[in-house]
Amino acid sequence: MRRFRNAGYQLLEIETCYPATRGKELDESRTCEREIGSLIRQMRGFRFWGAGYITLDRRVDAYTLEQQLREAFPEQQITGAIAPHDCEDCYALRAMLGSSTWSSVPPEFVRANDDALPLLTHEAYRAALPAWLLEGIRQPKDAVADMLLVNLRQQRQTDGFTPLQASTIIDIARYITANNFWGPVDPVNVDALAAIKAVWGRLAV
């Protein structure tokens, strides 16, 4: 039996226990309880998402994921050109982010600039991204989280990020897709997470 884990939910493949269930609706009384019983008892509940798979509801609390974020992204000053364009949005980004660290960026500013990440230089993007990731953890149903799923899949310049940072980005994206309005099996969420893994998975631990 193979086990797949992520920050928002846990997925177990149980076809190795009951191969005959492929293509058929699973019977909750036949879920290989001898093999996964101890795990099931630790969870709040379980539900089925199609033949051959069982999803166990296990939401990791936001605090745990925040600690992972803080470990992966040490504080560093946001310096350089920051947002080089001659526009009001870039003026605001330079004024707020200049010489700041990501943890000092007010959440209100992040929410007001949910779509501003593409305006940043790569250096500023690496230093400031955690502020947007933190807001995505805390409010996975809001606009910042939605725009993160768009930005992270389109980000093609990943140099300078560490393997731990890339893994954390994927974990947060997975958490958002598991906890936003649509849930982990929504086709748009599935596609977004797959695209984010394709971009960041090359670096991840």
Side-chain angles (χ1 to χ4, degrees):
M1 179 179 65
R2 289 179 294 167
R3 182 178 297 177
F4 302 84
R5 299 180 69 108
N6 63 43
Y9 61 95
Q10 187 156 350
L11 184 68
L12 301 178
E13 183 177 358
I14 63 174
E15 289 180 354
T16 53
C17 297
Y18 289 100
T21 61
R22 179 184 287 275
K24 300 179 182 179
E25 184 177 355
L26 290 176
D27 180 351
E28 291 189 12
S29 67
R30 305 172 67 227
T31 58
C32 308
E33 188 165 358
R34 284 176 298 178
E35 289 82 358
I36 64 173
S38 61
L39 182 58
I40 289 177
R41 285 191 291 272
Q42 296 173 24
M43 305 300 174
R44 295 181 178 178
F46 58 93
R47 62 181 183 271
F48 294 103
W49 289 120
Y53 297 93
I54 178 173
T55 298
L56 301 179
D57 294 328
R58 187 187 62 84
R59 292 188 178 184
V60 173
D61 61 78
Y63 176 81
T64 301
L65 204 52
E66 285 186 25
Q67 296 310 300
Q68 180 180 340
L69 176 67
R70 295 181 190 282
E71 178 184 351
F73 289 89
E75 298 284 347
Q76 65 179 92
Q77 282 196 334
I78 305 170
T79 59
I82 299 179
H85 304 101
D86 186 16
C87 64
E88 291 185 7
D89 289 338
C90 286
Y91 293 153
L93 288 167
R94 289 194 293 270
M96 175 57 67
L97 301 181
S99 299
S100 298
T101 61
W102 70 260
S103 67
S104 66
V105 180
E108 297 81 9
F109 180 82
V110 174
R111 290 193 290 269
N113 294 273
D114 55 83
D115 60 349
L117 288 174
L119 298 175
L120 300 177
T121 65
H122 186 59
E123 180 184 13
Y125 180 85
R126 292 201 322 266
L129 176 62
W132 275 255
L133 293 173
L134 180 62
E135 185 65 17
I137 295 170
R138 292 179 173 177
Q139 302 293 337
K141 293 179 171 63
D142 287 355
V144 172
D146 290 343
M147 294 307 300
L148 274 172
L149 295 182
V150 175
N151 173 263
L152 293 174
R153 69 182 296 173
Q154 296 177 345
Q155 182 65 24
R156 293 295 181 261
Q157 191 176 359
T158 58
D159 57 293
F161 286 89
T162 69
L164 179 58
Q165 289 171 344
S167 295
T168 299
I169 287 169
I170 292 173
D171 285 344
I172 293 172
R174 187 183 289 117
Y175 181 85
I176 291 171
T177 60
N179 292 278
N180 64 14
F181 284 114
W182 301 278
V185 297
D186 175 76
V188 175
N189 275 344
V190 170
D191 181 65
L193 185 57
I196 290 168
K197 287 180 178 179
V199 172
W200 298 95
R202 296 186 293 269
L203 295 175
V205 293

